[in-house]
Amino acid sequence: QVKLQQSGAELVKPGASVKLSCKTSGYTFSTSYMSWFKQIPGQSIEWIGMIYAGDGGTGYNQKFKGKATLTVDTSSSTAYMDLSSLTTEDSAVYFCAYTEGMGYFDYWGQGVMVTVSS
Amino acid sequence: DIVLTQSPALAVSLGQRATISCKTNQNVDYYGNSYMHWYQQKPGQQPKLLIYLASNLASGIPARFSGRGSGTDFTLTIDPVEADDTATYYCQQSRNLPWTFGGGTKLELK
């Protein structure tokens, strides 16, 4: 079955960067799209961007351009998201999710809490 | 960006019908499909897809859940409501990038 396993919680200092991972199994990663989302606890969900694993092509929400960088490693069926120049406003739960097309998300990672604090 | 508006909360009695609405500021229909989807999220969990393309039941979701609507007005109905349905429900559009979500409706039991 499809599984998306995200890396563990992160505590990072302001100004630092963090790289989150999303290891997948159960489907053909190399021809799929992966999206990433941000959710501040108690708030709604924001779409950060997506990456096509076939060629690494990306699309970003303008709000997150310069903040998030999406990459993939097809050899390990893993997607990554780099978050840079972190501030307290980046403290949130981040999810990866897989879409088979049409822009709805059947499969989600369990989420990872990123806390930015000195 | 397409803005999705949901009521913040809804209280319903067990066994009754819950109707959750989602209104968009732009039409999300395109070539015969309505690009509107619904998710359930419980505290500490990832969202779960309930309904896709406005009215299609996702795999493994009970038939108590249904969706309808087109254009700019959509509803998610739960009938009958069970205790396990207490959660926050989000609508999401994929008609235009960036894909956007509603603010969520928290379903509580009376």
Side-chain angles (χ1 to χ4, degrees):
Chain A
Q1 71 277 31
V2 175
K3 288 186 179 179
L4 281 67
Q5 183 66 41
Q6 297 188 240
S7 45
E10 299 274 1
L11 173 60
V12 293
K13 295 190 184 305
S17 298
V18 69
K19 188 169 188 173
L20 309 180
S21 66
C22 176
K23 183 167 177 58
T24 74
S25 60
Y27 69 100
T28 306
F29 179 79
S30 60
T31 57
S32 69
Y33 291 87
M34 183 69 74
S35 276
W36 290 84
F37 300 84
K38 175 184 180 181
Q39 186 175 36
I40 296 172
Q43 297 189 20
S44 184
I45 304 163
E46 295 181 279
W47 178 76
I48 295 171
M50 66 179 168
I51 184 166
Y52 178 60
D55 61 7
T58 55
Y60 292 94
N61 184 337
Q62 185 69 29
K63 179 179 178 179
F64 293 95
K65 280 187 176 179
K67 170 62 64 178
T69 302
L70 305 184
T71 56
V72 294
D73 177 359
T74 53
S75 67
S76 63
S77 299
T78 302
Y80 297 94
M81 179 171 68
D82 271 291
L83 297 170
S84 63
S85 304
L86 291 165
T87 72
T88 55
E89 294 183 352
D90 298 315
S91 294
V93 178
Y94 292 87
F95 294 98
C96 57
Y98 160 53
T99 178
E100 293 181 327
M102 311 294 265
Y104 56 88
F105 301 93
D106 301 81
Y107 304 100
W108 294 72
Q110 79 276 22
V112 56
M113 181 71 209
V114 174
T115 303
V116 183
S117 174
S118 55
Chain B
D1 297 3
I2 297 179
V3 176
L4 286 65
T5 301
Q6 300 181 243
S7 297
L10 177 66
V12 178
S13 301
L14 273 175
Q16 299 303 302
R17 175 185 298 170
T19 302
I20 298 170
S21 70
C22 177
K23 297 183 186 299
T24 64
N25 68 344
Q26 297 179 40
N27 193 320
V28 299
D29 294 351
Y30 188 67
Y31 279 96
N33 286 312
S34 294
Y35 286 80
M36 179 61 69
H37 323 296
W38 291 93
Y39 300 85
Q40 177 193 68
Q41 188 180 34
K42 297 181 179 180
Q45 296 185 16
Q46 66 269 53
K48 177 193 291 186
L49 179 68
L50 300 174
I51 300 288
Y52 64 94
L53 297 175
S55 61
N56 296 279
L57 198 64
S59 177
I61 302 302
R64 302 184 294 104
F65 293 86
S66 63
R68 62 179 299 169
S70 65
T72 61
D73 286 280
F74 297 87
T75 57
L76 170 72
T77 299
I78 311 169
D79 189 12
V81 167
E82 298 184 356
D84 188 53
D85 298 333
T86 54
T88 300
Y89 294 84
Y90 294 97
C91 53
Q92 176 239 326
Q93 66 80 24
S94 62
R95 173 64 180 86
N96 287 346
L97 292 176
W99 295 328
T100 49
F101 289 78
T105 298
K106 188 172 184 179
L107 180 65
E108 299 172 328
L109 295 180
K110 282 183 183 175

